[in-house]
Amino acid sequence: MFHIYCPYCEELREEEEFHPKGQAHIERPKDPEACSDEEWGDYLFFRDNPRGIHHELWVHAVGCRKFFNATRNTVTYEILETYKMGEQPTITAESLANREALGSVQVAGGGQQTVGASNASVASVKGVKA
Amino acid sequence: MQRYSGFGLAKHALSHHENWERQWRNPTPKKQYDVIIVGGGGHGLATAYYLAKEHGIKNVAVLEKGWLGGGNTARNTTIVRSNYLWDESAALYEHAMKLWEGLSQDLNYNVMFSQRGVMNLGHTLQDMRDIQRRVNANRLNGIDSEVLTPEQIQEIVPIMDCSKNARYPILGASWQPRAGVARHDAVAWGFARAADALGVDLLQNTEVTGFKIRDGRVFGVHTNRGDIEAKTVGCVAAGNSGVLAKMAGFRLPLESHPLQALVSEPLKPILDTVVMSNHVHGYISQTDKGDLVIGAGIDGYNGYGQRGSYPTVEHTLQAIVEMFPIFSRVRMNRQWGGIVDTCPDACPILSATPVKGLYFNCGWGTGGFKATPGSGHVFAWTLAKNQAHPLAAPFSIDRFHSGALVDEHGAAGVAH
């Protein structure tokens, strides 16, 4: 069960109050009519599907009903931060990799139940570019 | 390959079953193969088998980062059916169904395919309209399918609450008698053993870490056991397909989600068919061992951890107990999750890619097991001939740009 911090309610609430709504920060093309089939198809259907840090949209469906963003690790499921619509994440795969390289933070890599996960995939979980 | 038979069983009984030969070799990787299959689950092994058997391409390697059939092949709820709505998907799944019907003989391996029928319940008027539409579409495509009344359902499954007092009363169901279940592990092992016997190298603990691409053409892969070359590479990696695509430099319209299932303690035979309900979101069958196998829905968020969330389990069990009050005190033994690669239209991708020689078979989402032999069969054809099999052609990745989607959300539903 996730405990998710709603940036509008400013409280930790249980997962069942929320719905995940997919990848965050997707911008609707300003002039859809001007899009090529490729651009429009990419906008509609193609999503980032990283093994590791993912920025996603959630809605506090049975709470304040507001949409907000979350940065979450898709392997450990750790929620690293939540932030309001229109804001940018302070934690990204790149920033984590940099901070870990400096030794100032250790990223949890535990709790995986992935069959045959190798060092390479653990590294990718930690956001290290292989 | 030592053929299995009743006579062989009796012969080995004399030596206390201590001299059975290993089902497949554990070879060291060669430098070069004609075809590399990435992913040693059911679909990958079936692809390798049909490449060797139907197309005479035996210099094939299957690369598996863990062990054979250790991903979704080992985690699904083993249901096989072909009652899909649209012509394209009905043709593909029915192709698989026909292969299932002769699979044990073909592989000389008992995959325990049991055609015990699959029932999809309807709880609302709209459910019933959808069911009638789908049944009619199935019949036009030559797939056995019929609509059942609540009385007929009650006769087939006496323990189900078909009364009008249920929270979501059962108004009817679709019924495919030829559908059923198969032993999931045996499917992987059967294909593995048969492929190995034809000369396919099954390389376990071999993880692909990158592709060797030159001038837009693939010519091999990097692995943790060294580089391996091949002019044709087929990726059949389910939930990890997106990660492989990223290595090759393109994106797939897939999102990976955890999908859960659970089994109960073993019970005496009580349920001899498969019951599923899209509306209340639960489905159930009983194995030969006696466990009730219950499938839950996917978690809505993206995830690669092979486990799911408890609220999803709770919702599923609420639905099961509402349909089967008799199971309210059954204890659950185990619960697990697998990573499913879901497509926007709930249909698979069997396709060439922007990289020449590199093919993907993925996006089976929540319902890939039922297609295992059919998927392998058409994908092997595609790899061997370097062009899409007619049944695979509608499932090209181009459809997400042309708009020719095959929307199977209704038929895919909860039913895996």
Side-chain angles (χ1 to χ4, degrees), chain A residues 1-2 15-16 20 22-23 37-38 41-42 45-51 54 56 58 72 74-77 111-118 120-121, chain B residues 65-67 70 75 207 209 239-240 242-243 251-256 258 300-307 309-311 315 339 344 397 400-401 405:
Chain A
M1 176 83 80
F2 291 164
E15 178 182 345
E16 281 183 289
Q23 185 185 335
D37 288 350
E38 278 67 33
D42 284 352
F45 299 124
F46 287 69
R47 297 289 178 265
D48 290 341
N49 192 22
R51 207 186 156 89
H54 191 224
E56 50 197 27
W58 285 73
R72 198 174 54 87
T74 59
V75 178
T76 64
Y77 294 177
Q112 294 177 59
Q113 299 173 12
T114 307
V115 173
S118 69
S121 61
Chain B
K65 72 173 176 176
W67 57 89
R75 294 159 195 270
E207 181 175 9
T209 52
N240 285 303
V243 177
R251 294 215 292 177
L252 292 170
L254 297 177
E255 290 192 282
S256 297
Y301 49 81
N302 291 23
Y304 285 91
Q306 286 170 310
R307 60 192 183 279
S309 65
Y310 285 105
H315 292 162
I339 302 308
I397 195 168
F400 298 99
H401 289 134
L405 304 188

Side-chain angles (χ1 to χ4, degrees), chain A residues 4-49:
Chain A
I4 301 173
Y5 184 82
C6 172
Y8 294 99
C9 300
E10 301 182 341
E11 278 182 44
L12 279 169
R13 308 291 297 184
E14 289 189 349
E15 178 182 345
E16 281 183 289
E17 294 189 10
F18 300 86
H19 285 310
K21 289 290 181 182
Q23 185 185 335
H25 306 301
I26 295 174
E27 207 170 313
R28 183 180 166 88
K30 292 220 161 43
D31 182 6
E33 296 297 328
C35 284
S36 66
D37 288 350
E38 278 67 33
E39 286 165 348
W40 186 245
D42 284 352
Y43 162 68
L44 279 186
F45 299 124
F46 287 69
R47 297 289 178 265
D48 290 341
N49 192 22

Side-chain angles (χ1 to χ4, degrees), chain B residues 262-276:
Chain B
L262 51 165
V263 293
S264 75
E265 58 193 339
L267 306 173
K268 288 190 174 178
I270 191 165
L271 182 64
D272 64 355
T273 184
V274 181
V275 177
M276 43 183 62

